[in-house]
Amino acid sequence: MSYDNLMRLCIFALAAVAFAQDLQVPVSINPELADHTNLYARRVYKIGSNVYSAVGWGLANIIMVEGDDGVVIVDTGQGLAQARAVLAEFRKITQKPTRAIVYTHHHADHVLGASAFASAEDIKSGKIAIIAHESLEREYADENGLTADIMSMRAGSMYNSFLALLRPEDAAQMNSGIGPIFTFQSPGFIPPTQTIKDRLDTTIAGVRFQFLYVPSEASSEICAFLPDSKILLSAEVIQDHTFPNIYTLRGAKFRDPRLWFESIDKMREWPAESMVPQHGPPVEGKAEVATVLRNYRDAIQFVHDQSIRYANKGYAKEELIEVVKLPQQLAAVKPWLREFYGSVQHSAPEVYVGYLGWFDGDPISIDPMPRAEEARKLVALMGGRDRVLAEARRAYDASDRKFAAQLATYLIRIDANDLDARRLKAAVFRQLGYATINSTWRGLYLTAANVLEKKLDLERIVQARRAQRLSGDELQFPMIAHIQLLAIRLMAEQAANAALTMVLHLTDKNESYSLTLRNGILEYRARALPQADVTVSGTSAEIARLIDGIVPVEETLPKLELTGKIDEASRFLGYFERKYQSAPNFFLR
């Protein structure tokens, strides 16, 4: 199913709620943000004599390095549509075959177009190597498996992906901060065949590469230097012409800013005369490359050091927003430190959490009042629902937007169907979204407004996205990743007293895994236990479909070979949630 059709399924077909005319917010866009979109006009940039960067066909660039008897593709885009379009552009330059693919890191917009550049036969025969850091496959499985549901919802919001079909006027002149608006496409991920730990110096198609592990915005990041042409392929260590996402609002594992600026320092040791990032146009000239690298690392170190400084003074993570501000000499660096994508404000609290965790030191935070209960008591204290709504409207009319939204939020936490409160909060979000320079803030504000106005069903989007994603891509995960996904779907409250062991035998790989239910957890081991209640045998794909819940267990299980207590297999799998249960709608919490 195409992305457009997916979206149409998720837009409410119900009649639109009648909104008060005086809460209608005229569409606009921050002029500097609109101008930033011009960076992503479709163009293949030539750098030196043999490096080509395709900018504008997707969120991330696809780079081709031409060698004597073949080409090296660096990153493969966000899906097969982008990859095939860029391949057609590269074929206008050279017909030389692909000799290797490099994944700079595990994020979806960099790895999902691989099968457009390499066939399964090419990979199996060793004709084409896929080079990546040794952690890539694990990190890819975690992000696209363990946390895929919540990240899909948040990423589609922050990248403005849900707006183009729903309200095209909101997406006009827009970008995703580091590239064109992201769209979900059919996936073509292929696991790496050659991995790097710290460094690899090698020659591919006659071109010398120096690969280096540079943990930064991804823990799996590698960059490359071409010593003969002095070209630095900087991966996403330099995210783009924008302040970096030290923390990404879609959610991710902690991005250690100290490792990040130390990685940039390693890249600064190379005598680069050109730099080709994975987002946006290249940087030309030795002096300009050096300046960009220096300013970028200084900004990251500043946020790190000052966040820790104020944390040591006892500031809570929310209070860091008020005191950690870039000095003028860094804030004035355009466009590289303008907050089109990342921001100091949403990064500083993450530094606190990365080092100290969520607790702010006040014991009230240890066992807080539930949100809904707090909202009920506050609203009662303030005079009841109608009084609070009236005060929220007065705050809105006085342009006290944050207070208006907070008051409306209390009412929504009490009653998620309070349309007056939802309408008012949506209007605030539209005003904030249209004014901001930050593309991710705009996407989140405007997507939330559509949800509040009952124009968009995010839960159905996540469900539909799962169906698209599981159409084949997830079968590329190692089996242990499928089992880890099963573990986080265990309904512990029902399985607390269960004591069952199932062995999964993969007939095509001659591998076995033991799964034991005990104390409301699923223990798993990469071997067969002798005292299993039931053994299920099948190919890797068949076993993956069984435990992923792509199709009902009652349809999948009879097609597999079972030994032991047959009826226990259904009971065992019955303790796990199905993949297609409703997803959380965090905009209403």
Side-chain angles (χ1 to χ4, degrees):
M1 181 183 296
S2 71
Y3 174 74
D4 286 3
N5 287 335
L6 261 178
M7 282 296 301
R8 289 190 180 98
L9 283 175
C10 302
I11 297 171
F12 278 107
L14 302 176
V17 176
F19 292 107
Q21 288 297 315
D22 58 352
L23 287 177
Q24 296 299 312
V25 181
V27 176
S28 63
I29 185 171
N30 182 292
E32 195 174 352
L33 178 57
D35 185 63
H36 188 67
T37 301
N38 295 328
L39 284 175
Y40 310 117
R42 289 186 176 183
R43 177 179 169 185
V44 177
Y45 291 85
K46 184 177 182 181
I47 306 95
S49 62
N50 67 331
V51 177
Y52 302 86
S53 179
V55 175
W57 278 269
L59 186 64
N61 304 338
I62 299 176
I63 295 170
M64 177 178 72
V65 180
E66 184 179 7
D68 296 336
D69 61 350
V71 301
V72 178
I73 301 297
V74 181
D75 284 349
T76 63
Q78 66 202 39
L80 293 176
Q82 179 192 357
R84 288 165 180 161
V86 170
L87 178 60
E89 295 297 318
F90 286 163
R91 286 288 175 250
K92 298 175 184 176
I93 298 168
T94 178
Q95 293 293 318
K96 293 176 183 177
T98 301
R99 295 300 186 201
I101 293 171
V102 177
Y103 292 149
T104 63
H105 59 292
H106 68 274
H107 292 158
D109 54 319
H110 297 260
V111 302
L112 290 186
S115 60
F117 296 97
S119 67
E121 293 74 22
D122 290 333
I123 301 300
K124 186 175 181 180
S125 68
K127 183 179 178 181
I128 298 176
I130 299 183
I131 301 169
H133 188 256
E134 61 184 9
S135 67
L136 182 136
E137 194 168 6
R138 180 188 69 246
E139 296 297 327
Y140 174 82
D142 282 356
E143 190 161 294
N144 294 281
L146 289 178
T147 55
D149 288 353
I150 189 65
M151 277 197 187
S152 290
M153 190 183 291
R154 289 166 67 162
S157 302
M158 68 172 263
Y159 285 126
N160 296 265
S161 302
F162 301 149
L163 299 178
L165 284 172
L166 183 62
R167 280 177 59 98
E169 61 270 33
D170 284 345
Q173 299 179 276
M174 264 305 296
N175 60 80
S176 288
I178 52 173
I181 292 176
F182 180 83
T183 59
F184 297 108
Q185 301 175 10
S186 297
F189 174 71
I190 304 175
T193 62
Q194 180 180 351
T195 60
I196 298 169
K197 183 176 183 181
D198 296 312
R199 180 168 182 146
L200 173 66
D201 291 3
T202 188
T203 299
I204 308 172
V207 179
R208 289 201 297 154
F209 288 83
Q210 295 175 353
F211 293 108
L212 184 67
Y213 177 48
V214 281
S216 47
E217 61 89 45
S219 58
S220 59
E221 202 99 23
I222 60 173
C223 68
F225 184 62
L226 311 184
D228 297 323
S229 57
K230 295 183 171 56
I231 295 174
L232 170 61
L233 306 181
S234 58
E236 206 171 329
V237 185
I238 306 300
Q239 281 199 300
D240 195 359
H241 300 59
T242 174
F243 188 85
N245 252 344
I246 297 173
Y247 169 69
T248 175
L249 296 171
R250 65 181 169 81
K253 295 178 182 178
F254 179 54
R255 298 173 172 183
D256 188 330
R258 186 167 56 180
L259 290 180
W260 195 334
F261 69 72
E262 288 173 352
S263 289
I264 298 177
D265 286 341
K266 292 177 183 177
M267 298 197 310
R268 295 170 73 201
E269 295 178 6
W270 280 317
E273 297 179 359
S274 301
M275 181 172 71
V276 189
Q278 290 303 140
H279 294 276
V283 180
E284 296 284 9
K286 186 174 183 179
E288 182 65 13
V289 171
T291 298
V292 170
L293 290 174
R294 185 194 66 223
N295 287 335
Y296 222 74
R297 59 91 56 221
D298 285 358
I300 294 170
Q301 182 175 352
F302 181 90
V303 174
H304 171 271
D305 293 355
Q306 294 304 306
S307 297
I308 298 300
R309 174 193 171 206
Y310 282 105
N312 279 324
K313 290 176 179 289
Y315 282 68
K317 61 183 182 298
E318 295 84 2
E319 293 174 310
L320 297 182
I321 293 171
E322 304 167 23
V323 295
V324 179
K325 309 284 185 182
L326 282 185
Q328 181 57 31
Q329 64 267 31
L330 289 176
V333 174
K334 293 184 177 182
W336 292 98
L337 297 180
R338 297 294 285 158
E339 295 177 311
F340 299 112
Y341 187 56
S343 79
V344 177
Q345 186 168 329
H346 76 239
S347 295
E350 176 70 355
V351 179
Y352 182 106
V353 172
Y355 278 90
L356 297 171
W358 59 267
F359 180 52
D360 60 8
D362 186 343
I364 192 66
S365 303
I366 297 174
D367 187 18
M369 186 181 300
R371 279 184 170 187
E373 182 182 349
E374 178 189 40
R376 281 193 294 271
K377 290 183 176 180
L378 285 174
V379 168
L381 187 66
M382 289 186 282
R385 183 260 182 192
D386 292 344
R387 173 69 182 275
V388 171
L389 183 64
E391 290 299 325
R393 182 55 197 257
R394 272 191 281 274
Y396 176 84
D397 292 339
S399 296
D400 191 355
R401 296 171 183 144
K402 293 179 183 178
F403 187 49
Q406 185 62 60
L407 290 176
T409 298
Y410 290 137
L411 299 179
I412 294 168
R413 286 177 180 170
I414 295 172
D415 178 7
N417 291 312
D418 189 328
L419 297 183
D420 292 324
R422 290 173 67 146
R423 181 169 65 241
L424 182 59
K425 188 174 180 179
V428 172
F429 281 177
R430 289 202 179 280
Q431 289 185 336
L432 294 171
Y434 292 146
T436 184
I437 191 177
N438 190 285
S439 66
T440 63
W441 292 21
R442 179 186 171 100
L444 284 161
Y445 279 137
L446 298 185
T447 301
N450 285 310
V451 171
L452 290 163
E453 294 166 349
K454 289 198 168 184
K455 296 177 180 176
L456 184 64
D457 185 347
L458 280 186
E459 294 184 9
R460 290 183 67 192
I461 284 179
V462 172
Q463 293 169 6
R465 175 62 185 140
R466 281 200 205 109
Q468 185 188 51
R469 181 169 51 84
L470 297 182
S471 62
D473 178 52
E474 192 165 337
L475 297 182
Q476 299 290 350
F477 289 174
M479 184 53 61
I480 194 65
H482 292 277
I483 293 171
Q484 289 167 346
L485 286 172
L486 182 68
I488 64 171
R489 287 165 35 222
L490 178 64
M491 295 181 287
E493 67 281 3
Q494 297 183 22
N497 298 316
L500 289 168
T501 296
M502 173 185 285
V503 169
L504 304 175
H505 179 64
L506 280 53
T507 55
D508 54 331
K509 295 186 177 181
N510 196 28
E511 296 175 358
S512 294
Y513 296 85
S514 297
L515 314 180
T516 300
L517 281 176
R518 182 184 66 250
N519 295 328
I521 61 98
L522 178 69
E523 180 188 19
Y524 40 89
R525 301 182 185 183
R527 61 184 177 88
L529 293 177
Q531 302 299 322
D533 295 294
V534 63
T535 297
V536 181
S537 300
T539 66
S540 301
E542 290 171 336
I543 295 295
R545 291 190 184 96
L546 173 70
I547 65 177
D548 283 344
I550 298 173
V551 293
V553 170
E554 56 269 22
E555 293 182 20
T556 311
L557 201 54
K559 300 176 182 178
L560 299 171
E561 181 183 343
L562 277 73
T563 57
K565 301 177 182 178
I566 307 301
D567 59 330
E568 298 289 32
S570 293
R571 187 161 76 92
F572 184 101
L573 294 168
Y575 286 117
F576 298 87
E577 290 179 339
R578 290 287 306 280
K579 277 261 184 171
Y580 295 100
Q581 294 196 345
S582 64
N585 193 334
F586 49 84
F587 288 133
L588 299 177
R589 292 192 170 190

